[in-house]
Amino acid sequence: MMNMIDIACFEVNEHGRLLSGNRRFCRMFGFEPSEIPWHYVTDLYRHVGDWEKFRRDTENASFTMRMKNRRGRSFDCCIVREIFQNADGEVIFRNTIHKIGEGKAYVPQTVPLSVVFLAKCSDCGAQIRVASAPETRLRMLCNSCAAKTFPETFYGKTAQV
């Protein structure tokens, strides 16, 4: 297995905006760390349509893509991604990227992809899991707040009038 220092890592949001990248990523693509937030991930792909394939594929965690650096030189890469949701409810792709043919590729042990969506309780502000991204925008209650506010519904009892 390779040393993690030799692995290029970057994060991108669901709209394609680059959020962060480590030093290895900056060297691989010719960016300065301060320039990363000004670029989109489509600046890295040799074929722009590959980003759409990457973004929409929810079954695979590893991809082989043709990437290009700032000078326009292209190379084949293996990208391993993890999908998560940040505290603001945005879907983020955390990626490790390795040039094919440059030593042994780092492929972490992954389980099938699962996305966890989190929302905040509208009463206490605690994070709660929800089933889909649209539910993160709804007014939700955690179990303890729901039990206090609507005890008859929460415990499955009928209300006495």
Side-chain angles (χ1 to χ4, degrees):
M1 182 164 53
M2 294 181 70
N3 186 347
M4 281 302 288
I5 295 172
D6 296 334
I7 302 296
C9 302
F10 68 101
E11 290 183 353
V12 62
N13 67 14
E14 65 184 329
H15 305 293
R17 169 80 66 183
L18 290 173
L19 302 174
S20 65
N22 66 1
R23 276 205 223 134
R24 175 73 174 128
F25 172 80
C26 290
R27 282 193 314 267
M28 185 182 284
F29 291 98
F31 293 121
E32 292 294 324
S34 61
E35 296 176 318
I36 291 175
W38 295 98
H39 289 278
Y40 284 89
V41 74
T42 52
D43 297 342
L44 309 177
Y45 284 99
R46 183 73 178 148
H47 308 287
V48 178
D50 287 346
W51 162 246
E52 289 301 320
K53 292 177 195 173
F54 177 84
R55 187 172 69 128
R56 294 176 198 265
D57 188 346
T58 57
E59 294 183 17
N60 298 312
S62 180
F63 302 87
T64 301
M65 298 281 180
R66 189 90 177 149
M67 307 295 276
K68 67 178 179 177
N69 64 15
R70 194 173 208 169
R71 294 180 183 158
R73 294 183 183 158
S74 62
F75 45 88
D76 289 323
C77 288
C78 177
I79 302 173
V80 178
R81 76 166 177 204
E82 174 188 358
I83 303 172
F84 69 98
Q85 188 177 27
N86 66 10
D88 296 329
E90 296 175 324
V91 174
I92 305 294
F93 299 105
R94 183 176 292 150
N95 308 286
T96 57
I97 185 168
H98 178 79
K99 284 185 181 179
I100 293 177
E102 192 179 81
K104 187 175 179 181
Y106 168 74
V107 179
Q109 300 298 324
T110 57
V111 294
L113 286 178
S114 63
V115 179
V116 176
F117 297 102
L118 300 174
K120 290 189 178 184
C121 175
S122 58
D123 278 354
C124 67
Q127 285 191 338
I128 52 177
R129 288 181 177 219
V130 293
S132 65
E135 286 184 20
T136 61
R137 294 173 184 85
L138 299 176
R139 186 172 186 266
M140 305 291 282
L141 295 174
C142 66
N143 286 343
S144 61
C145 292
K148 291 176 196 170
T149 309
F150 307 105
E152 63 280 351
T153 305
F154 186 78
Y155 294 111
K157 298 176 184 175
T158 58
Q160 300 283 330
V161 180

